[in-house]
Amino acid sequence: MTAQRRLRVPLGQRSYDLLIQPYGLDEAGALILPLMRSRRLVVVTDSHVEVTPHMARLLASLQAAGIDARPVVVPAGEASKAMGVLEGLLEEILSGGIDRKTAILAFGGGVVGDLAGFAAAILLRGLDFFQVPTSLLAQVDSGAGGKTGINSRQGKNLIGAFHQPLFVLVDPTVLEGLPPRELKAGYAELVKHAFIRDEALFAWLESHLGDFMAGDLDVRAEAIARSVKVKVEIVGRDEKETGDERALLNFGHTFAHAYEFLTGYGDRLLHGEAVALGMAKAFALSVRLGLCRGQDAGRCVAHLRAAGLPVQAADLGLTFAPEAVREAMGRDKKTEGNRLTFILSRGIGQAIVDRSVPAEALQAILGEP
Ligand SMILES: NC(=O)c1ccc[n+]([C@@H]2O[C@H](COP(=O)([O-])OP(=O)(O)OC[C@H]3O[C@@H](n4cnc5c(N)ncnc54)[C@H](O)[C@@H]3O)[C@@H](O)[C@H]2O)c1
Ligand SMILES: O=C(O)C(=O)C[C@@H](O)[C@H](O)[C@H](O)COP(=O)(O)O
Ligand SMILES: [Zn+2]
């Protein structure tokens, strides 16, 4: 029997719970009904998740609770975080008939969560929103925190809104059937939280990586809960990234978003893979600037490798021209004028924000493999 773990995202009147409960999916209806303002629910999912047994489990539990659930399906993949797909989604939801008490539930990975969450933020100027994340990445990261949105031709996640869910239900059993490449990509964001603020979690992950990857349910539930706890606490302190606190969650992302932009948001490079590459660069830059001991950085990069993640572009058969990466990084939301913002490391569990990285240091590490 695996225990449930409940976290609170502390946001005043908009506070909500995140429940990590193996087999909780089969109780989704009973869990969300008390939070709904009507029985009308639109379930947004993608074309891969739609055909998993988990979708049938979700719909059965909603039906058992007397919830009138209408599924809407978007194509799977990052390319769906685009204006055209958003427009189609909005029209389909509207044409099915909604009112201000209709809620939206995202059932999928980070793409579905970001897209459905943004739709919920803007439909009728704001509908209630629930997250039932199905990828590891979404369970440890995108399912909570309220960042929603889509990509622009100008850059990653440039169009969006903060729109918090009313409840997040994480069931690690739905990871069964998640493709191994996606599991590893999600692990990059999981361990990112340890790199940022939790050295003890990192040490625990080092000794539980094998069991985690092999599918041990207790280990997965524990790892997810401890990882997302780091995020939830940060979001509670800096919901809209107005200070430097929430920016820490962007560790590796100044590089990652540039790599995703340069590869065209396709299957060649998944978000979590880009984050792994970006975190390896952030560690390299931190060591170069004398902020972090090479030994600590080496331990973290070795762990990414052990998890089967890429740590240099060549691992995925990619090359990035330093100038192109530098140019793409200028489109990052953290950039102020011409000044790039990096999240760097002073050691495991000690991330910092740095807006004064010398151009030569950046040039040097972008030139490395
Ligand atoms: N809003 C945030 O705070 C936040 C945080 C991190 C990442 N993100 C965004 O999340 C996106 C990446 O999310 P992702 O890695 O989940 O990608 P994704 O949503 O594309 O899901 C990965 C793949 O796995 C499939 N899948 C999902 N769950 C499955 C399951 N249980 N069984 C079988 N297949 C399943 C999906 O159909 C998809 O093909 C990026 O766009 C990234 O920018 C947002
Ligand atoms: O929740 C956050 O804050 C994060 O930075 C989490 C990131 O993993 C995620 O990729 C997020 O979407 C990036 O946000 P952005 O504001 O840099 O687009
Ligand atoms: Zn991310």
Side-chain angles (χ1 to χ4, degrees):
M1 188 60 190
T2 49
Q4 59 161 250
R5 295 150 174 93
R6 191 179 279 270
L7 301 172
R8 185 89 177 147
V9 188
L11 294 170
Q13 287 194 325
R14 282 171 295 103
S15 298
Y16 55 95
D17 282 358
L18 185 153
L19 181 69
I20 299 125
Q21 184 176 334
Y23 305 100
L25 182 62
D26 305 302
E27 294 167 40
L31 287 165
I32 70 164
L33 182 63
L35 302 169
M36 292 180 69
R37 292 192 289 146
S38 78
R39 288 180 182 265
R40 291 178 293 283
L41 183 71
V42 176
V43 176
V44 180
T45 192
D46 74 23
S47 51
H48 291 162
V49 177
E50 183 197 15
V51 295
T52 64
H54 313 305
M55 180 69 176
R57 289 170 65 196
L58 173 71
L59 294 178
S61 97
L62 296 174
Q63 193 181 22
I67 294 170
D68 173 17
R70 180 159 60 93
V72 175
V73 183
V74 297
E78 183 73 25
S80 277
K81 272 178 58 173
M83 199 58 92
V85 176
L86 175 69
E87 187 187 357
L89 175 64
L90 296 173
E91 293 297 344
E92 190 172 344
I93 293 173
L94 285 168
S95 67
I98 53 168
D99 61 32
R100 285 186 162 150
K101 291 186 176 172
T102 303
I104 306 279
L105 183 148
F107 188 61
V111 167
V112 164
D114 283 9
L115 192 58
F118 191 34
I122 58 179
L123 277 166
L124 311 193
R125 299 206 181 94
L127 295 178
D128 289 348
F129 178 47
F130 296 95
Q131 286 261 24
V132 183
T134 65
S135 68
L136 176 61
L137 183 142
Q139 295 193 341
V140 296
D141 194 344
S142 60
K147 277 190 178 177
T148 74
I150 59 173
N151 303 321
S152 148
R153 277 189 291 275
Q154 302 304 312
K156 172 92 179 171
N157 293 344
L158 293 188
I159 303 162
F162 286 95
H163 190 58
Q164 300 290 347
L166 297 183
F167 177 61
V168 184
L169 174 61
V170 171
D171 178 352
T173 71
V174 306
L175 299 179
E176 209 170 293
L178 184 70
R181 184 179 172 203
E182 300 290 353
L183 185 78
K184 293 179 210 163
Y187 190 83
E189 300 272 32
L190 188 158
V191 75
K192 175 192 77 179
H193 293 143
F195 291 160
I196 293 169
R197 274 291 173 268
D198 196 340
E199 186 177 10
L201 173 59
F202 178 63
W204 185 87
L205 288 169
E206 284 185 305
S207 58
H208 289 82
L209 179 63
D211 291 337
F212 183 93
M213 289 299 176
D216 183 306
L217 202 50
D218 277 318
V219 169
R220 284 189 175 177
E222 177 75 4
I224 291 167
R226 288 177 68 173
S227 172
V228 75
K229 184 167 184 281
V230 173
K231 171 161 187 173
V232 158
E233 287 175 355
I234 289 176
V235 169
R237 287 193 291 268
D238 181 15
E239 181 189 7
K240 297 198 172 161
E241 211 171 307
T242 43
D244 273 354
E245 182 93 10
R246 187 162 184 168
L248 299 177
L249 296 173
N250 243 241
F251 185 56
H253 285 62
T254 309
F255 298 97
H257 285 171
Y259 297 148
E260 288 181 88
F261 172 77
L262 292 170
T263 48
Y265 311 125
D267 285 350
R268 282 197 299 161
L269 180 65
L270 304 177
H271 176 70
E273 292 170 341
V275 171
L277 296 179
M279 292 193 295
K281 283 286 184 217
F283 276 122
L285 187 52
S286 305
V287 171
R288 187 172 191 96
L289 295 173
L291 295 169
C292 180
R293 294 190 307 165
Q295 199 183 333
D296 288 346
R299 202 173 135 202
C300 293
V301 172
H303 185 74
L304 293 174
R305 247 196 221 102
L309 282 159
V311 293
Q312 49 187 41
D315 293 341
L316 293 170
L318 298 169
T319 47
F320 295 110
E323 266 324 302
V325 177
R326 172 65 188 78
E327 206 271 327
M329 287 194 304
R331 301 156 190 266
D332 187 87
K333 286 191 289 310
K334 300 186 299 305
T335 299
E336 296 176 354
N338 279 333
R339 212 154 53 127
L340 299 180
T341 300
F342 291 93
I343 317 306
L344 299 179
S345 175
R346 284 192 181 279
I348 304 169
Q350 300 173 56
I352 53 157
V353 175
D354 193 329
R355 295 195 177 80
S356 56
V357 169
E360 313 75 57
L362 179 60
Q363 190 64 28
I365 67 117
L366 287 180
E368 291 169 2

